[in-house]
Amino acid sequence: MFAAFQRAFRRLLSAVTLAAACIMALPGLSGADGPVTLTANKPIIRAYRDILARFDGDPLKVTADLPAGMYDRTAVEMVIAVRALRLGGMSKPISFAVTSNARRAVEEVICGNAVMTGQQLDVSVLNDKQDVEALFLSDPVTPVGEFHKLFYCLPENKGVLAARNAEELNQAGRGIIGTVWNNDRQVLMSMGINNVIQAPTFPSLIKMILAGRADWIPMEASNKPGMERMMEGKRFVPVPGIRFSLIESRHFMVSRLHPDGEATFNALQAGLDELHRQGFIRALLDATGFYESDQLGWKTLNQDAVERTRALPSSAP
């Protein structure tokens, strides 16, 4: 009974905190003459600025020939977002709202404290239908079935590395995901992978593995040799040959509450349409290794579910 009361109290406190933040962002309190504010964490902002520094600070000059292994998907998505805004006619300066995770990023956008997310997200990060109604969703940046994740672990974890299907992976070790990785959790559970725990921030996920409290983490492929990753100073490698699809389309999310929301959304849509036409989005994501496992022909463990979703009359949210 007491535990249930604690959970209810935490939910109420979270709602009150969010409501207070939203009041501060009501139209008229947040001026329309300021910059376009995108959500991101500090490492993403640093990486984004580093990419721009290679191209005279101009997102319109960025090309896909980025150094191998240096930038992750999240950094180039910021480039895609800003480039789309510029192509769509939005010339305002860019600023950032620093957020710790995807759920917090969406809350900032819903409230109007930020104009849009700096990364493509799926609607599973939202709490309810009311949240969806507070947002403009861009056309898909990544279509249904194309967002794949691999299973990363420490190279000495031979048991996990030997897994070749969902059942073997579930038995070989414990996975860990973020507390707002709702789609990851749902898809893993549907595959019978229930030996999974959660933690609130990305650094905490990696530290849990390094402390021996978890064994693997689902992540997109990198463009380093062997699709390896360096995280918290340690080398991580993917379980060879297997991956899963999040069975989702991913979008940039724009605030309906912010005074610049509609204009930003219109510019974003126009710019994304042009970037898709140019092939720039796929090329830039490919530069991070995002499609590497496609090229290697790795097995998608939930391919049947992907095909069922694609067969639906409309697979877009």
Side-chain angles (χ1 to χ4, degrees), residues 269-296:
Q269 288 284 79
L272 288 176
D273 184 63
E274 177 63 16
L275 292 180
H276 276 302
R277 188 190 66 78
Q278 295 172 357
F280 179 81
I281 293 175
R282 186 177 181 93
L284 203 61
L285 288 173
D286 194 34
T288 71
F290 189 72
Y291 293 106
E292 182 69 16
S293 61
D294 287 31
Q295 297 162 14
L296 295 173

Side-chain angles (χ1 to χ4, degrees), residues 157-301:
N157 197 328
K158 304 304 181 184
V160 170
L161 289 173
R164 292 296 175 266
N165 55 51
E167 182 179 1
E168 291 177 1
L169 183 69
N170 195 51
Q171 295 174 351
R174 176 180 293 166
I176 188 167
I177 60 175
T179 53
V180 297
W181 297 14
N182 296 331
N183 209 353
D184 291 66
R185 178 176 53 80
Q186 292 167 6
V187 171
L188 291 171
M189 291 287 287
S190 73
M191 293 161 51
I193 300 176
N194 52 23
N195 189 11
V196 178
I197 59 175
Q198 296 177 287
T201 65
F202 185 76
S204 66
L205 301 176
I206 304 306
K207 289 174 182 177
M208 291 278 276
I209 294 177
L210 298 181
R213 298 178 64 183
D215 296 285
W216 56 265
I217 179 172
M219 295 191 67
E220 313 91 77
S222 83
N223 67 350
K224 287 184 178 180
M227 295 180 286
E228 294 182 356
R229 287 181 171 274
M230 288 296 295
M231 298 184 287
E232 295 292 321
K234 297 292 184 179
R235 186 167 70 99
F236 284 70
V237 297
V239 177
I242 59 174
R243 64 184 187 176
F244 69 98
S245 170
L246 287 177
I247 321 180
E248 64 189 23
S249 57
R250 288 206 163 195
H251 313 256
F252 291 115
M253 299 182 179
V254 182
S255 175
R256 288 182 180 270
L257 182 62
H258 195 283
D260 282 342
E262 186 171 3
T264 298
F265 175 70
N266 291 336
L268 178 67
Q269 288 284 79
L272 288 176
D273 184 63
E274 177 63 16
L275 292 180
H276 276 302
R277 188 190 66 78
Q278 295 172 357
F280 179 81
I281 293 175
R282 186 177 181 93
L284 203 61
L285 288 173
D286 194 34
T288 71
F290 189 72
Y291 293 106
E292 182 69 16
S293 61
D294 287 31
Q295 297 162 14
L296 295 173
W298 282 25
K299 179 182 179 181
T300 303
L301 297 181

Side-chain angles (χ1 to χ4, degrees), residues 17-26 107 110-113 257:
T17 301
L18 179 57
C22 288
I23 289 172
M24 295 302 295
L26 287 173
E107 287 175 353
I110 289 171
C111 288
N113 293 335
L257 182 62

Side-chain angles (χ1 to χ4, degrees), residues 118-135:
Q119 279 69 58
Q120 56 169 330
L121 300 169
D122 70 285
V123 295
S124 73
V125 302
L126 306 176
N127 281 333
D128 50 39
K129 187 175 185 295
Q130 182 179 6
D131 282 359
V132 175
E133 292 173 349
L135 297 164

Side-chain angles (χ1 to χ4, degrees), residues 7-27:
R7 289 193 297 270
F9 179 76
R10 284 195 295 268
R11 288 195 297 269
L12 176 60
L13 182 60
S14 177
V16 170
T17 301
L18 179 57
C22 288
I23 289 172
M24 295 302 295
L26 287 173

